């Protein structure tokens, strides 16, 4: 059975019909505002992380993670807007070739952005784990050069993994019902080759489940190592000349704890949607009935909305949990206000001078 976007989505399982209703009637009204606001908030994140005072290997990963999230949100806007055109009751004449091309290519772009975001989230977890479990090796293993090389490798790997999905999609051309002069264009899949099967496995397993499992393992390891370090810190030495060192160690531990808390929060938000998405993608790989694909696609759209909402929340997470992030963001706001006031003052001065000249 070929998985296609039909004019009217059907679903035999009444428990899953809400996904179809959500896709046709609700998704565009939620997704578009969430994508826009989320992109704006992530631009704020990017402005903060690119400040010179925030320069570090971990923040370099945050920069590229934020770039991937911005690409996902901005690139996903046309896709989110066009979803009802290919699953709802839109007229065939409205399904133009341009819309079909935009739908397919923006979907491919968001898939790659998802890959990149997952890769950098895993890299972030690994870097934080090394910092806690092997602090003496952190500077050697996680320096700026190594971090930059892994980031570049991440982009290359994610694009290569996306290629099977790029070449399995095409556009069906049909005569619109009741009108011999009008053509309708529908995005669909090429199922004739093994590449299609590979794309399903890549999308369901490598893109969804593997990152979730890896992140879950490293998150649990981080929590375990963090608890162990706290146990050791509860028994400081009593010698007077070590008091200052103990205070410095406690301050470092507090900063590390905040960093780990932010990481675990980001990873938790990631896993909330990625694990269910992976399960649904695996079900799609196994169950090839076209009418059930409508049900599964509805669930995917709902989970994608939750994922976009998670990206919307990252700015709030960084701002509330990182003192340095708050200070840098407030400094950026103050600089912008000062520039605006200087510009307004300069404009008023030029206006007065022009008035005097008359």
């Amino acid at each position: 059975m070929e998985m296609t976007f039909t004019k009217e989505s059907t679903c035999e399982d009444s428990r899953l019909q809400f996904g179809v209703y959500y896709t046709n009637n609700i998704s565009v009204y939620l997704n578009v505002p969430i994508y826009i606001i989320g992109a704006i908030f992530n631009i704020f994140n990017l402005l903060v992380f690119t400040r010179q005072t925030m320069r570090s290997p971990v923040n370099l990963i945050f920069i590229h993670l934020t770039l991937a999230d911005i690409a996902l949100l901005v690139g996903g806007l046309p896709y989110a807007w066009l979803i009802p055109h290919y699953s709802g009751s839109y007229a065939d004449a409205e399904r133009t070739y341009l819309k079909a091309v935009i739908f397919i290519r923006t979907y491919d772009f968001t898939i790659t952005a998802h890959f990149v975001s997952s890769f950098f989230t895993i890299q972030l977890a690994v870097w934080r784990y090394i910092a806690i479990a092997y602090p003496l090796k952190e500077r050697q293993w996680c320096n700026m050069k190594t971090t930059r090389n892994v980031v570049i490798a991440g982009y290359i790997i994610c694009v290569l993994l996306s290629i099977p999905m790029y070449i399995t999609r095409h556009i069906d051309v049909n005569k619109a019902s009741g009108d011999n002069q009008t053509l309708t264009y529908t995005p669909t899949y090429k199922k004739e080759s093994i590449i299609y099967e590979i794309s399903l496995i890549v999308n369901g397993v490598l893109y969804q489940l593997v990152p979730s499992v890896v992140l879950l393992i490293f998150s649990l390891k981080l929590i375990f190592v963090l608890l162990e370090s706290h146990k050791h810190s509860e028994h400081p030495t009593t010698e007077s000349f070590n008091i200052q060192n103990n205070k410095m160690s406690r301050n470092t531990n507090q900063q590390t704890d905040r960093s780990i808390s932010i990481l675990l929060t980001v990873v938790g938000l990631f896993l909330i949607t990625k694990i269910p998405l992976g399960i649904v993608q695996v079900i799609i790989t196994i169950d090839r009935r076209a009418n059930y694909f409508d049900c599964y696609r509805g669930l995917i759209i709902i989970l994608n909305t939750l994922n976009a909402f998670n990206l919307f929340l990252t700015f709030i997470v960084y701002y509330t949990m990182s003192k340095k992030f708050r200070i840098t963001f407030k400094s950026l706001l103050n600089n912008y206000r000062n520039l605006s006031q200087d510009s307004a003052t300069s404009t008023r001065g030029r206006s007065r001078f022009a008035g005097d000249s008359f």
Side-chain angles (χ1 to χ4, degrees):
M1 293 291 180
E2 186 169 348
M3 299 178 185
T4 61
F5 290 90
T6 56
K7 181 176 179 179
E8 293 290 346
S9 295
T10 58
C11 181
E12 294 178 357
D13 194 331
S14 59
R15 294 170 297 179
L16 301 178
Q17 285 179 356
F18 176 73
V20 177
Y21 178 82
Y22 175 84
T23 301
N24 296 344
N25 302 283
I26 302 175
S27 63
V28 68
Y29 301 107
L30 278 181
N31 286 348
V32 170
I34 289 174
Y35 278 45
I36 293 173
I37 298 173
I40 294 171
F41 277 12
N42 275 275
I43 290 172
F44 291 159
N45 293 340
L46 188 63
L47 291 174
V48 172
F49 287 129
T50 52
R51 297 302 93 189
Q52 189 65 31
T53 56
M54 299 289 285
R55 180 179 170 84
S56 72
V58 169
N59 284 344
L60 179 62
I61 302 173
F62 270 121
I63 287 172
H64 289 278
L65 177 60
T66 303
L67 284 172
D69 291 343
I70 293 172
L72 175 59
L73 292 165
V74 174
L77 264 174
Y79 174 75
W81 174 65
L82 287 172
I83 283 173
H85 287 71
Y86 297 104
S87 58
S89 56
Y90 279 73
D92 288 332
E94 296 184 39
R95 298 175 184 180
T96 63
Y97 180 76
L98 179 60
K99 286 181 180 178
V101 170
I102 293 174
F103 186 86
I104 288 179
R105 295 311 164 206
T106 54
Y107 181 74
D108 291 341
F109 182 78
T110 56
I111 286 291
T112 303
H114 270 296
F115 268 130
V116 174
S117 179
S118 300
F119 183 93
F120 292 143
T121 305
I122 292 174
Q123 184 185 0
L124 186 63
V126 173
W127 258 233
R128 288 293 80 195
Y129 174 74
I130 292 174
I132 299 300
Y134 307 99
L136 298 179
K137 297 289 186 179
E138 182 188 8
R139 289 180 180 240
Q140 178 185 350
W141 294 350
C142 305
N143 54 54
M144 289 293 289
K145 182 179 178 181
T146 302
T147 303
R148 192 176 295 110
N149 290 339
V150 174
V151 165
I152 294 171
Y155 282 113
I156 296 172
I157 291 170
C158 292
V159 170
L160 292 176
L161 287 175
S162 302
I163 289 175
M165 284 172 285
Y166 294 165
I167 61 181
T168 56
R169 283 184 250 285
H170 71 285
I171 299 173
D172 275 348
V173 183
N174 298 300
K175 297 260 184 167
S177 57
D179 186 352
N180 293 329
Q181 303 301 319
T182 304
L183 298 178
T184 178
Y185 301 88
T186 305
T188 185
Y189 303 85
K190 295 178 181 177
K191 289 189 52 118
E192 294 79 16
S193 67
I194 191 65
I195 299 178
Y196 175 73
E197 306 294 332
I198 295 173
S199 70
L200 289 178
I201 295 172
V202 168
N203 195 24
V205 179
L206 291 182
Y207 157 48
Q208 306 284 1
L209 287 182
V210 170
S212 299
V213 172
V214 172
L215 280 173
L216 189 59
I217 291 172
F218 272 99
S219 299
L220 293 175
K221 281 180 169 290
L222 274 171
I223 294 171
F224 177 76
V225 173
L226 197 60
L227 291 174
E228 286 294 318
S229 65
H230 276 304
K231 286 181 182 178
H232 292 300
S233 64
E234 288 175 358
H235 304 286
T237 57
T238 56
E239 298 176 10
S240 58
F241 62 87
N242 279 330
I243 293 178
Q244 179 129 9
N245 289 337
N246 291 331
K247 287 182 179 178
M248 293 175 61
S249 177
R250 281 195 296 271
N251 290 335
T252 303
N253 288 337
Q254 288 175 358
Q255 292 175 359
T256 304
D257 290 351
R258 284 195 294 269
S259 176
I260 297 299
S261 298
I262 293 172
L263 171 63
L264 293 177
T265 303
V266 171
V267 168
L269 292 173
F270 181 92
L271 293 176
I272 286 172
T273 53
K274 289 297 181 184
I275 291 178
L277 270 171
I279 294 172
V280 174
Q281 291 287 355
V282 170
I283 293 174
I284 289 176
T285 305
I286 297 171
D287 191 346
R288 302 304 178 82
R289 289 172 292 180
N291 53 345
Y292 267 78
F293 178 65
D294 292 324
C295 307
Y296 302 141
R297 187 181 58 206
L299 290 178
I300 290 173
I301 299 301
I302 292 173
L303 291 171
N304 281 337
T305 301
L306 292 176
N307 182 65
F309 187 70
N310 289 344
L311 301 181
F312 167 92
L313 291 176
T314 53
F315 172 79
I316 300 172
V317 171
Y318 298 150
Y319 188 86
T320 56
M321 301 184 71
S322 172
K323 183 178 179 181
K324 190 172 183 180
F325 185 95
R326 285 196 303 274
I327 292 172
T328 306
F329 182 70
K330 289 177 181 178
S331 175
L332 285 171
L333 285 181
N334 289 333
N335 291 339
Y336 174 77
R337 288 171 186 164
N338 292 335
L339 286 173
S340 299
Q341 290 173 0
D342 291 343
S343 176
T345 303
S346 176
T347 303
R348 285 195 299 269
R350 286 196 299 270
S351 299
R352 286 195 298 270
F353 180 79
D356 291 340
S357 66
F358 282 104

